[in-house]
Amino acid sequence: MNRAPKNHYQLGRRPSGLTRRRLLQGTAGLSAAAALQAGRWRHAGAQEFSGDLTVWGVVSFTTEGDELLAAQMNEWGEANGVNVEYVPQQGSDYQVKLATAVEAGAVPDIAMMQGDLTHFYAAQDRLVDLSDLFDRIKDQAGGMWEPLLPHVQVDGKTFSIPMETDVSVMYARLDLVEEATGTRIPPATLDELEAVAREINNPPRLFGIGLALGRSPDAVANVEQMIFAEGGTLVDEQGNPAIDNAGTVLALTRIKRWWEDSLIPPDATAWDDSSNNKAYQSGQVAFTFNPASIFAFLEENDPELLGNTTQAPFPAGTAGSFPLIGTWSWAIFQESSNIDAAKALIEYIMEPERLQAVYEEVGGRWYPVYKDLVEAEFWQSRPFFEPFPEIIENGRREWYPAEATPLLLTQLSAVFQRFILADMAQAVVVSGTSPEQAAAEAQIAMEQVFEELAAEQ
């Protein structure tokens, strides 16, 4: 892909292809003008706000994005007499920090939920029902992507508000692909990826495939997509653990081969959620798999590498390509002493224009949760994001082929938090465990988690 003109890649630009009138079309129960002027949402019986609010989130990988989000929160707080503190946390240990805060009874008022954390804490009766807030804002700017809603809804109630769409893609060095194949077309299958990576591979300076294998959410996502691509699943149609299957063994066999042939950096087993970003940005790897945070960094810091980079769907395995989608969302803990103010703050920062401004500062790592925002110039002028709407509609959920239930999503959330998938891959590449044995051990670990949580219901 040829690099777009420089003026197409300016962060912080306001969308000119999408009018404010269209953005707010369908908004119910909220005066946009009043919200902009006073930053005040009036809940029935709550005429004024006061006190403090602490908000925890996950870093966006851009300082500007984190700062703008904090500024919006402070803007609302200053207009409403509330002291708001936004604390962005590192993603690699965020879930552990949040769990520790919950255990200690020192939770923030508002917390960002990753993936299916909403179900995990809703099952413990920790979260405030936000259905009223969701109903007021869900139809703004064309409405929210429906595939995101199972991640935040339990038994017909909404316990967190999606604030972005998580889309995982493959990053590819097109200049290196061209050297190996004569074209600037990224590999469409895992077999093609492996073949091109072997041509590119030149350790220790350059490795073909930046597959995350540490005990991190990125590693869990990478392994999960490999399993789906090879025809495997995590559960069966009834929602029972079923990771011990032929597709999982195929995925682990492929990972084992890549590792033994030094196509993967030797420190990948210690990578956290920022390591694959850094490996690609520094030129250590030719391909890696990640949400769009790498794009944001390149646009801001390395236009030359950006011009030789593309975002492509996860390569197809023997069964096809099944990209993962998810969402990060805002939830309120029941322990908060300022719930009405917390709801009002979320409603303020979820106003489409404010949200789009944050997306632009984040540089694309957070993709719109409102459908019509994708028509903004920021997205339309960046061909890298053209496949995203289709990926969202066709992405595979972690609970496939079962129906999503509160218990199943809670069980899967616990499996991900305990890094069972990452441990399974590490058993193969670090301990020399056979793919078949590693899959069988992961099956036992999943069954134990499922039984433990089922007994608590």
Side-chain angles (χ1 to χ4, degrees), residues 113-232:
M113 299 283 115
Q114 293 177 301
D116 298 322
L117 274 183
T118 298
H119 283 260
F120 183 76
Y121 286 116
Q124 300 176 23
D125 197 27
R126 299 274 189 180
L127 303 180
V128 174
D129 179 1
L130 300 180
S131 299
D132 57 341
L133 171 56
F134 177 73
D135 287 342
R136 281 195 301 278
I137 69 173
K138 65 183 176 65
D139 294 324
Q140 295 183 116
M144 294 185 178
W145 296 103
E146 288 83 359
L148 305 181
L149 303 186
H151 293 277
V152 302
Q153 294 179 336
V154 181
D155 291 335
K157 298 178 180 179
T158 303
F159 286 93
S160 65
I161 305 299
M163 55 81 63
E164 58 88 60
T165 302
D166 233 11
V167 181
S168 186
V169 295
M170 176 179 71
Y171 280 89
R173 281 283 301 272
L174 294 181
D175 54 334
L176 299 179
V177 171
E178 186 175 23
E179 290 177 9
T181 68
T183 70
R184 292 174 68 86
I185 301 173
T189 70
L190 291 173
D191 286 341
E192 292 175 6
L193 170 65
E194 183 173 332
V196 174
R198 291 185 183 280
E199 290 294 320
I200 292 172
N201 211 50
N202 185 25
R205 186 184 66 83
L206 175 65
F207 294 87
I209 303 172
L211 189 71
L213 294 173
R215 300 188 86 244
S216 70
D218 275 2
V220 171
N222 284 184
V223 174
E224 187 178 354
Q225 288 185 102
M226 294 281 288
I227 291 172
F228 285 158
E230 300 290 17

Side-chain angles (χ1 to χ4, degrees), residues 78-90:
E78 290 173 1
N80 288 277
V82 177
N83 179 39
V84 181
E85 180 186 18
Y86 179 54
V87 185
Q89 310 271 357
Q90 292 298 320

